[in-house]
Amino acid sequence: EVQLVQSGGGLVQPGRSLRLSCTTSGFTFGDYAMSWFRQAPGKGLEWIAFIRGKAYDGTTEYAASVKGRFTISRDDSKSIAYLQMNSLIIEDTAVYFCTRVLHGSLGEADHWAQGTLVAVSS
Amino acid sequence: DIQMTQSPSSVSASVGDRVTITCRASQGISSWLAWYQQKPGKVPKLLIFAASNLQSGVPSRFSGSGSGTDFTLTISSLQPEDFATYYCQQAHRFPLTFGGGTTVEIK
């Protein structure tokens, strides 16, 4: 059974950093791309970061809203994806979701982790 | 960026009704379109990928169609568990973008 379990998140002050982890099991992690999405309170879904699998050297893509501040990475030996969030701003307040990307797709997410609330506030 | 426009933003329907939601892309995206269902406080669930392919485990009353710029999600006979918000997402090009969502409410 495919499982994705997030950890990290919580309340953080503006300008500070936070790292989210997404521990996976039930599939060959290195063969899949992973993506992070977020959802601000009462709002719709927003894609923020993508990392390709090992066949594509783990190259990355970012939304303009987080580029230069957030870094997506992966540890294929541990089957974990990460989202390092630096220079956090109020507008980054949202529930963050780690997802597995459907094989052969850029961004259709077939499995989602439970989500983690990141609240940026002074 | 590719803009995704969903309509309607909300629809009131009864159990057994046929419901159709449309999604229009600001430029052609071939068939790189997904539909998700999200219930309040829950994680989004992939329903349809590549515009018309039913994700494993999703009931056959859900169907998707379209290509290029115009797409449709149809629920053939609405069930009580289908009351939720539905989002389309293009997976043709980065940045990946979503429609604004359609909330299916009980009439």
Side-chain angles (χ1 to χ4, degrees):
Chain A
E1 180 192 4
V2 173
Q3 289 194 327
L4 289 75
V5 178
Q6 286 177 230
S7 57
L11 177 63
V12 62
Q13 292 179 326
R16 303 300 291 266
S17 298
L18 210 56
R19 187 176 81 162
L20 304 181
S21 299
C22 177
T23 302
T24 75
S25 61
F27 64 101
T28 305
F29 181 73
D31 289 349
Y32 286 82
M34 302 292 289
S35 243
W36 288 88
F37 297 84
R38 68 184 180 184
Q39 188 168 35
K43 302 296 184 182
L45 295 166
E46 179 189 14
W47 167 80
I48 56 173
F50 171 93
I51 186 166
R52 294 174 178 83
K54 62 183 178 183
Y56 298 93
D57 296 327
T59 51
T60 58
E61 306 285 346
Y62 295 95
S65 58
V66 305
K67 193 170 186 177
R69 300 188 299 120
F70 289 15
T71 302
I72 187 173
S73 62
R74 61 191 298 151
D75 185 335
D76 289 351
S77 69
K78 296 180 179 178
S79 299
I80 300 176
Y82 300 99
L83 184 69
Q84 176 67 41
M85 303 182 291
N86 299 332
S87 303
L88 284 159
I89 59 178
I90 302 292
E91 291 74 20
D92 292 323
T93 295
V95 175
Y96 285 71
F97 297 101
C98 166
T99 73
R100 188 184 84 165
V101 177
L102 195 64
H103 216 279
S105 171
L106 278 188
E108 292 152 312
D110 65 349
H111 288 274
W112 295 61
Q114 81 276 20
T116 302
L117 176 63
V118 173
V120 184
S121 174
S122 53
Chain B
D1 297 2
I2 299 174
Q3 308 302 317
M4 306 300 293
T5 303
Q6 263 182 261
S7 61
S9 57
S10 66
V11 56
S12 293
S14 300
V15 172
D17 284 353
R18 182 182 183 89
V19 173
T20 299
I21 300 168
T22 63
C23 183
R24 174 165 288 177
S26 60
Q27 59 186 268
I29 60 171
S30 185
S31 295
W32 293 107
L33 186 101
W35 290 98
Y36 299 90
Q37 176 194 66
Q38 187 179 32
K39 298 180 181 179
K42 299 297 185 182
V43 175
K45 175 185 176 182
L46 178 65
L47 299 176
I48 301 285
F49 64 94
S52 60
N53 292 271
L54 196 67
Q55 173 67 352
S56 175
V58 174
S60 59
R61 62 181 179 273
F62 290 93
S63 64
S65 64
S67 67
T69 60
D70 295 308
F71 302 87
T72 299
L73 173 70
T74 300
I75 309 171
S76 60
S77 178
L78 198 65
Q79 298 302 301
E81 61 268 29
D82 300 337
F83 292 95
T85 298
Y86 295 83
Y87 294 96
C88 64
Q89 177 219 343
Q90 66 84 12
H92 176 64
R93 178 175 300 158
F94 293 106
L96 307 177
T97 46
F98 286 87
T102 296
T103 300
V104 178
E105 301 169 324
I106 302 172
K107 191 171 186 178

